[in-house]
Amino acid sequence: MKLAIHCANLTWPGGPAALGSTLAEVARTADQGGVTTLTMMDHYFQMETLGGPSQPMLEGYTSLGFLAGQTTDVELGLLVTGVTYRHPGLLAKIVSTLDVLSGGRAMFGIGAAWYEREHVALGVPFPPTAERFERLEEALQICRQMWSDDDGAYNGKHYQLAETVCVPQPLRTGGPRVLIGGSGERKTLRLVAKYADACNLFSFPPDEIAHKIEVLDRHCENEGRDPAEIQRTVIAGAHPLEDTDGFLRTMEQYAALGIDQVWTGPSPADPIGSVADICERVLPRLRDLG
């Protein structure tokens, strides 16, 4: 099983003045320690569950551009981009720029967005859920078109582009790995089956994970797609350093269901040291799973 590090809680020692250097060292530690993917949040404000808007939150793609210059091997992305935050044409350009400048290491994580407070606060439109999912599907179509030889027009219900030119193209043919976040069975997993290279599920009990995978497989059948083409990933609920054996027992159950990548995060009190410990104590055992 592969390990990914997700930097969600940025209330780290030293405050804003130390945030850049600490984030850089977290990324270098992960990169050198064998972590396959490093992700940031995509929010304007910190989530309520991690302290809310009074706590630090960095803009996602700016942060990834910074981290591309601090690392050499680790895949970089957002977990996940909110479709409402950027026009899809601009988003495709941003992600392709990250891919080119990082040497082909961009991951394109995207979802329908949910945090209404930050949208209202900064005056960003926040459509109803059904419309956000329509926009998500159109954004996926636009990005795929911009990362192809087709630079013609795109005419959708919500987005109209006269030209879909994207030069330079991403280094990976067809664009970066596309990961759709969320576990909704009717809409999200259908979009995974139709457009994505990977899904990202919450840390449900193993029987519920098995159910979500069965739903995804049925959507793949309906789309005429081989389920084996889609990587199944989870974001862990428990921290691996708090109960390493218990964490690994759960991961072993997940691996038996086909999950092959797990996200966890740095400990806020010691982000650098905790990532080093995860790489030393947890990653070798994760690699033996699956």
Side-chain angles (χ1 to χ4, degrees):
M1 183 178 284
K2 303 177 184 68
L3 175 66
I5 293 293
H6 183 46
C7 297
N9 187 341
L10 300 176
T11 306
W12 292 348
L19 194 48
S21 59
T22 302
L23 181 60
E25 190 58 30
V26 164
R28 287 192 290 265
T29 301
D31 192 34
Q32 295 164 14
V35 170
T36 55
T37 306
L38 179 74
T39 53
M40 302 290 295
M41 298 269 269
D42 194 28
H43 284 298
Y44 306 136
F45 294 170
Q46 179 56 276
M47 300 185 299
E48 306 287 351
T49 54
L50 294 178
S54 65
Q55 300 304 306
M57 176 53 56
L58 297 173
E59 197 284 317
Y61 282 107
T62 307
S63 301
L64 295 178
F66 168 69
L67 294 178
Q70 306 290 328
T71 55
T72 58
D73 296 309
V74 71
E75 181 184 52
L76 299 167
L78 298 186
L79 196 67
V80 290
T81 307
V83 71
T84 52
Y85 296 176
R86 302 164 191 84
H87 190 284
L90 174 61
L91 177 59
K93 185 66 176 180
I94 291 170
V95 175
S96 62
T97 297
L98 174 65
D99 194 66
V100 168
L101 296 184
S102 67
R105 293 187 286 127
M107 180 197 82
F108 180 43
I110 190 166
W114 60 269
Y115 196 0
E116 184 175 10
R117 177 178 177 177
E118 62 188 355
H119 290 74
V120 174
L122 299 188
V124 178
F126 188 71
T129 302
E131 182 179 329
R132 296 201 309 277
F133 273 95
E134 290 174 353
R135 289 178 178 271
L136 175 58
E137 182 159 17
E138 289 192 14
L140 288 160
Q141 293 169 354
I142 289 166
C143 288
R144 287 295 196 196
Q145 182 168 327
M146 289 189 66
W147 298 335
S148 74
D149 294 333
D150 181 359
D151 60 3
Y154 176 89
N155 293 298
K157 178 179 178 181
H158 300 287
Y159 303 109
Q160 296 80 43
L161 286 69
E163 299 177 84
T164 51
V165 175
C166 187
V167 180
Q169 286 277 295
L171 299 188
R172 173 185 163 183
T173 302
R177 177 170 74 128
V178 175
L179 178 149
I180 297 177
S183 306
E185 296 180 11
R186 188 167 62 88
K187 294 183 178 181
T188 302
L189 294 181
R190 179 188 67 81
L191 292 176
V192 170
K194 191 170 184 178
Y195 297 103
D197 302 299
C199 67
N200 185 251
L201 305 173
F202 295 114
S203 186
F204 298 118
D207 59 343
E208 190 167 353
I209 291 285
H211 171 70
K212 298 292 184 183
I213 290 174
E214 289 173 1
V215 171
L216 175 59
D217 289 349
R218 288 199 297 271
H219 282 304
C220 287
E221 182 179 357
N222 292 336
E223 294 293 338
R225 187 158 181 211
D226 182 356
E229 295 177 2
I230 298 173
Q231 183 184 20
R232 292 93 192 283
T233 79
V234 297
I235 183 163
H239 197 277
L241 297 179
E242 294 174 358
D243 177 9
T244 299
D245 289 340
F247 174 83
L248 288 164
R249 282 194 296 270
T250 300
M251 293 306 110
E252 184 174 19
Q253 292 176 295
Y254 285 175
L257 296 171
I259 302 294
D260 74 350
Q261 186 173 34
V262 59
W263 264 263
T264 189
S267 299
D270 183 13
I272 300 168
S274 63
V275 170
D277 284 347
I278 292 169
C279 291
E280 181 178 349
R281 293 166 46 192
V282 181
L283 179 53
R285 295 173 67 182
L286 275 176
R287 285 172 171 158
D288 292 335
L289 302 179

